[in-house]
Amino acid sequence: MSLPRHPSYDLVVVGSGPTGSAYVREVYDRHPTARILLLDAGPRLTDPPGTHVKNIADSAERARAQRASEGPGPAGRPGTRLLEAPDLPAAALSTNVGGMGAHWTGACPRPGGGERIGFIPDAEMDAHLSRAEQLLRVDAHAFDHAPFADEVRRRLAALFDAGRPPHRRVAPMPLAVTTRSDGAHTWSGTDVILGRAAADERVDIADRCLCLRVVLDGDTATGIVVRDLATGEERRVSARAVVIAADALRTPQLLHASGVRPPALGRYLNDQPQIVYAVRLPDDVVAAHRAVTGRTRDEDGAIVAQSGVSWVPYTDAHPFHGQVMQLDASPVPLADGTDVEPGAIVGLGWFCAKDISPDDRVEFTDTAADARGLPALRIHYRYSDRDLAAIEQAKEAVAEAGAAVGIPLDDSPLLLPAGSSLHYQGTTRMGPADDGTSVCDSHSRVWNTRGLWVAGNNVIPTATACNPTLTSVALAVRGARALLAHLDSTAERSTPAAQAGVGTA
């Protein structure tokens, strides 16, 4: 469908990625009569909607789905388009039902130390993280049998584990993936988060449907204005609650277009500098593995469809997040022409926590529009002196980790262009008080605007190094609790469900 079927809903969610879908699922599960609209400016790629593209078996179909997600403009990595922002040259976005949840790596580490949000009690946040892991079907052991995974972790643990608490030691990376009975894997997209909600008549999913602005009645959000991108037709849709979950760049853009402009809007833009390095395991380790398993390289190539992924957690003493991936089981020729045992090539990626500044921001103008008529944006972003120092420390740390694992294949660690992580955060950050440094409260409610929530990595207020999706879904779970209370508090009004004879809230 394109334009929504009904003129009014209990809840409208703009943006169908992991956090928007988490709001839908939580309200669907806990409010048995709520009518919900989930809309996205991009197309449906799959049936059911929101399926991860890795689960599309046919390579040509998978490539078509990725191209359909990119939209106009130069392509970034598959499924995304580059913004061509000089200060953040690798910045890229996807536009499709499921958002980046259709393309992400599935890494779901829990934040630790300074990555945690100090004004949310630990017990509450841990409960939200556990619920997020359920919604995403997180499994830390899906690839435990990947070649050499144990050996890689043993070597990393010998370097990093001393003095760490058990839950912050080297471990398999928690991944949003399900192991099937045949041993194959299904990656979690937003179809997994939505569950039965995606096929229920109480939930409408509108694709190719652009939200132009939030409708306000004084200080209360009462709905949205949408445009069918196929026909150009526009319509106003009423709602008792609105969630904007359109990513860290388009969420503040939409608030700006709606006249919701708290001082922190678009500020505190936070990416994660990313350093990469590659090594190969020593020949004696490979030979010992072959002797024990009896496998040849070709057999491994047939058996192992995905490499092992290991995790070096962030700590305040080691303020980097390490994501260690053994290359997929395909032949990798070395410079001398020697083929490498699958799993013996190890890629190390170290992510830094950015020095957060209000000057790093996405800025909007009322005098120019983008291709879809929303306020044009410009990104301002730079590395501070502390960032540059942290990047050098991360290069030293990843080189040390590489030396512990094996034989370097790169001359030195490489800093990827700014924006490469795709982990953009902070532009509608939450805070404990409305003091001008945040856009929403700890339950993601926009300050001074009743009935309006924001969602996504953009609400994370801390300097994180770990992959942010699990944290942002946990914050969506937290926000949904407050949203449900809002729906209950407005139950005395005539609801869309009641008007349609479905029931009362």
Side-chain angles (χ1 to χ4, degrees):
M1 62 179 287
S2 290
L3 282 176
R5 293 186 299 166
H6 304 291
S8 59
Y9 293 82
D10 293 293
L11 170 63
V12 169
V13 179
V14 179
S16 62
T19 58
S21 296
Y23 270 93
V24 171
R25 174 66 179 273
E26 292 295 272
V27 173
Y28 173 82
D29 281 354
R30 296 170 183 269
H31 197 303
T33 61
R35 177 185 286 163
I36 304 167
L37 171 64
L38 176 63
L39 62 89
D40 203 288
R44 291 195 188 207
L45 306 176
T46 57
D47 185 20
T51 300
H52 199 298
V53 298
K54 284 185 182 179
N55 301 329
I56 302 174
D58 182 82
S59 60
E61 287 294 326
R62 185 164 59 252
R64 277 193 286 272
Q66 290 168 330
R67 287 194 298 272
S69 305
E70 293 165 2
R77 68 184 65 178
T80 71
R81 68 172 175 86
L82 291 170
L83 290 181
E84 299 183 283
D87 285 2
L88 206 63
L93 302 172
S94 60
T95 307
N96 54 271
V97 172
M100 278 301 296
H103 309 284
W104 67 317
T105 64
C108 288
R110 286 197 175 202
E115 296 179 308
R116 305 275 294 198
I117 301 170
F119 51 85
I120 297 179
D122 283 344
E124 292 184 19
M125 192 63 192
D126 285 339
H128 302 325
L129 288 164
S130 293
R131 174 57 177 162
E133 287 167 343
Q134 292 175 348
L135 290 173
L136 291 162
R137 297 185 187 171
V138 175
D139 183 359
H141 302 287
F143 299 109
D144 279 0
H145 300 296
F148 308 109
D150 288 342
E151 178 66 16
V152 169
R153 285 193 283 273
R154 186 188 68 78
R155 289 169 174 251
L156 291 171
L159 178 63
F160 290 109
D161 279 359
R164 289 176 176 240
H167 66 286
R168 303 307 289 178
R169 294 174 183 167
V170 172
M173 178 67 77
L175 296 167
V177 63
T178 301
T179 304
R180 302 199 304 260
S181 59
D182 62 357
H185 299 93
T186 299
W187 292 87
S188 296
T190 57
D191 60 325
V192 169
I193 299 174
L194 290 168
R196 291 180 299 171
D200 194 288
E201 64 178 8
R202 289 196 291 118
V203 179
D204 288 342
I205 301 177
D207 65 329
R208 302 181 189 272
C209 191
L210 177 69
C211 181
L212 299 175
R213 66 182 183 276
V214 178
V215 177
L216 300 173
D217 182 1
D219 63 355
T220 300
T222 60
I224 60 171
V225 175
V226 298
R227 177 189 297 151
D228 183 329
L229 291 177
T231 67
E233 181 183 355
E234 296 182 7
R235 181 180 299 172
R236 175 173 171 170
V237 178
S238 298
R240 291 200 289 148
V242 176
V243 177
I244 307 300
D247 72 44
L249 302 179
R250 289 176 285 194
T251 291
Q253 180 188 44
L254 185 52
L255 293 185
H256 182 94
S258 306
V260 179
R261 302 177 182 181
L265 185 69
R267 292 188 176 271
Y268 304 97
L269 174 62
N270 177 21
D271 182 39
Q272 295 168 340
Q274 183 178 359
I275 295 93
V276 296
Y277 195 50
V279 303
R280 68 178 176 89
L281 289 170
D283 292 340
D284 60 333
V285 172
V286 174
H289 172 269
R290 190 178 294 135
V292 169
T293 63
R295 293 177 178 173
T296 67
R297 181 176 58 80
D298 289 338
E299 287 171 346
D300 272 344
I303 293 169
V304 182
Q306 172 68 30
S307 63
V309 186
S310 301
W311 174 33
V312 180
Y314 171 103
T315 67
D316 292 337
H318 182 85
F320 314 111
H321 162 76
Q323 184 165 312
V324 181
M325 302 182 69
Q326 295 163 251
L327 298 189
D328 290 353
S330 57
V332 180
L334 291 178
D336 61 5
T338 303
D339 287 334
V340 175
E341 188 86 3
I345 299 296
V346 183
L348 301 99
W350 253 234
F351 294 81
C352 299
K354 177 79 170 68
D355 184 18
I356 294 179
S357 167
D359 295 329
D360 294 324
R361 67 195 188 276
V362 53
E363 184 179 58
F364 307 100
T365 176
D366 293 321
T367 59
D370 66 11
R372 287 177 167 167
L374 291 170
L377 63 84
R378 180 184 176 190
I379 292 174
H380 301 268
Y381 190 83
R382 70 178 185 88
Y383 289 142
S384 69
D385 289 342
R386 282 192 290 184
D387 290 328
L388 296 174
I391 288 167
E392 292 306 310
Q393 292 170 4
K395 287 181 178 179
E396 294 175 4
V398 76
E400 187 178 12
V405 170
I407 301 165
L409 295 177
D410 297 328
D411 292 335
S412 61
L414 173 67
L415 173 66
L416 297 183
S420 295
S421 78
L422 306 182
H423 294 167
Y424 319 129
Q425 302 167 51
T427 54
T428 62
R429 69 202 303 248
M430 61 172 52
D434 182 15
D435 60 2
T437 66
S438 59
V439 171
C440 63
D441 68 10
S442 72
H443 297 275
S444 301
R445 296 173 291 209
V446 175
W447 295 116
N448 303 312
T449 308
R450 182 173 169 80
L452 181 60
W453 275 254
V454 284
N457 296 339
N458 34 284
V459 304
I460 299 172
T462 52
T464 67
C466 72
N467 311 71
T469 301
L470 182 72
T471 299
S472 61
V473 171
L475 295 174
V477 168
R478 178 178 178 83
R481 303 294 193 267
L483 193 150
L484 284 159
H486 170 79
L487 293 180
D488 287 342
S489 73
T490 58
E492 68 274 10
R493 302 177 188 178
S494 179
T495 68
Q499 294 167 9
V502 176
T504 57

